[in-house]
Amino acid sequence: MKRFGILLTLSLLASSLVIAQTPLEDELFASVLGVEGRTHTERGEYIKGQLHKMGVGYVTAPFKNISRIKKDSVVIEGENIIVRLGQGTKHIVVGAHYDAFKNSPGANDNGSGVAVLLALIRHLQSVEWNYSVDFCFFDQEEANLMGSMYYVNQFIIPKKHLAMINLDIEGTGDEVFVGPVGSTNRFLMRYIHEAAKKNGSSLVEHSDYPGSDYQSFADYSLENISISIVPKGDGDRLSKFVHNGYKADSLDAPKVLSVMHTVYDRSSLVSPASLRMSYEFTNTLLIQLNESGK
Ligand SMILES: [Zn+2]
């Protein structure tokens, strides 16, 4: 009985520890709720509304792509939302796609990235930037990375480009999964390692990495890295999944894939602590990158 009492007290304590959220976690989670299950247009409007509340200016860059598949023409339209801070010569891009996979509420993919990007803008808007920094909400990532591809073509001057940091899938677990490590992040990895050390993060890096908007930069050999927060072991599992041609061994399938692109990608499965971890890691990374420009 007594033992039961202790266990009960411990479990109540544990659950109260899980429930207690910091103001930053509340702020991050509110943004996931703001875009979850919304239409494509509503997701964009939510972002613009939040930027308006912060008093931060933005530009929108609409695009329309018409391609021919046999006799049919396929039209993909979208709108990137861009906040530019700082005026340095060299350029940093921090991006998260805001579109969601068809019929998915898109809470973790990628309401989580949107939430982190909004919080970064909110908290870093008065930093003295040594670079020009574009915080980009990319559209149509789920349509062959269309939004980021248009952004690179419209806004990137290769000799001025310093780094692109991509945020996609930030809402579960406590492992910082970065990649794809290789020829297009020779400069960035040092800062990634420093940020992990400073934040005490459990960092997993791989050269095989799931596709996302960073690829539009990698295609032009522009420095880039992608950051996700995933359940323990998922970094290795996701890397293996990509390495095997996007095929998963059912016994060792990456956990994040069980809900991604499905109707189950809901905020109830998103952890505020994971969002905070992504925010803190990226914040440290950006501040250290900024210091390098002094
Ligand atoms: Zn995504």
Side-chain angles (χ1 to χ4, degrees):
M1 191 67 198
K2 198 174 174 190
R3 199 174 156 173
F4 175 73
I6 290 168
L7 279 177
L8 187 68
T9 314
L10 281 175
S11 66
L12 281 174
L13 188 66
S15 61
S16 66
L17 284 174
V18 171
I19 290 163
Q21 287 181 21
T22 66
L24 176 63
E25 288 175 355
D26 288 342
E27 176 194 331
L28 288 157
F29 196 69
S31 297
V32 175
L33 294 174
V35 294
E36 177 189 18
R38 302 302 162 102
T39 65
H40 177 254
T41 311
E42 286 168 348
R43 290 170 86 94
E45 290 307 316
Y46 175 80
I47 293 165
K48 291 175 201 171
Q50 291 300 305
L51 295 174
H52 188 74
K53 274 188 197 163
M54 291 178 214
V56 172
Y58 60 87
V59 293
T60 55
F63 57 86
K64 184 174 183 174
N65 185 278
I66 306 168
S67 58
R68 277 206 171 273
I69 297 177
K70 291 183 182 166
K71 280 186 178 169
D72 298 322
S73 54
V74 179
V75 181
I76 294 170
E77 289 183 82
E79 182 184 78
N80 293 327
I81 305 165
I82 305 158
V83 172
R84 180 164 289 182
L85 301 176
Q87 293 179 327
T89 326
K90 287 270 183 179
H91 190 57
I92 296 174
V93 181
V94 193
H97 75 85
Y98 72 91
D99 60 308
F101 194 81
K102 197 168 180 271
N103 298 328
S104 171
N108 193 18
D109 185 15
N110 190 26
S112 62
V114 166
V116 173
L117 197 56
L118 278 170
L120 287 168
I121 296 167
R122 189 176 285 117
H123 295 277
L124 297 177
Q125 57 175 296
S126 33
V127 163
E128 259 189 54
W129 291 102
N130 299 311
Y131 298 109
S132 77
V133 189
D134 274 4
F135 294 84
C136 298
F137 299 90
F138 291 123
D139 201 354
Q140 299 291 12
E141 186 265 358
E142 304 289 4
N144 291 324
L145 319 174
M146 197 72 79
S148 53
M149 193 186 80
Y150 270 88
Y151 171 84
V152 169
N153 284 310
Q154 289 169 332
F155 295 97
I156 291 293
I157 301 164
K159 66 172 193 246
K160 292 190 174 177
H161 180 81
L162 184 74
M164 188 272 177
I165 299 158
N166 185 54
L167 300 167
D168 195 357
I169 310 280
E170 313 296 315
T172 55
D174 57 6
E175 191 170 278
V176 182
F177 178 40
V178 305
V181 177
S183 59
T184 51
N185 38 50
R186 294 211 166 103
F187 162 78
L188 268 168
M189 286 318 285
R190 192 188 117 202
Y191 294 94
I192 290 279
H193 293 153
E194 277 179 18
K197 201 173 161 194
K198 195 160 182 221
N199 289 24
S201 317
S202 129
L203 181 72
V204 177
E205 53 183 79
H206 275 292
S207 54
D208 289 307
Y209 202 86
S212 185
D213 288 319
Y214 69 84
Q215 281 177 306
S216 300
F217 294 76
D219 285 348
Y220 291 92
S221 301
L222 297 164
E223 187 85 3
N224 70 85
I225 197 78
S226 198
I227 302 169
S228 290
I229 307 295
V230 294
K232 195 166 173 51
D234 249 19
D236 287 344
R237 287 187 285 264
L238 281 161
S239 173
K240 209 166 123 190
F241 170 72
V242 174
H243 189 80
N244 294 336
Y246 286 80
K247 281 188 213 81
D249 173 345
S250 57
L251 291 174
D252 201 26
K255 289 183 181 150
V256 291
L257 295 185
S258 61
V259 296
M260 204 180 113
H261 293 181
T262 74
V263 293
Y264 304 107
D265 184 6
R266 298 193 188 113
S267 58
S268 52
L269 298 174
V270 169
S271 153
S274 305
L275 299 172
R276 178 172 47 77
M277 193 170 288
S278 170
Y279 168 84
E280 285 171 349
F281 186 87
T282 314
N283 185 313
T284 304
L285 177 63
L286 273 172
I287 295 299
Q288 287 179 340
L289 271 178
N290 194 42
E291 291 293 306
S292 76
K294 267 188 178 167

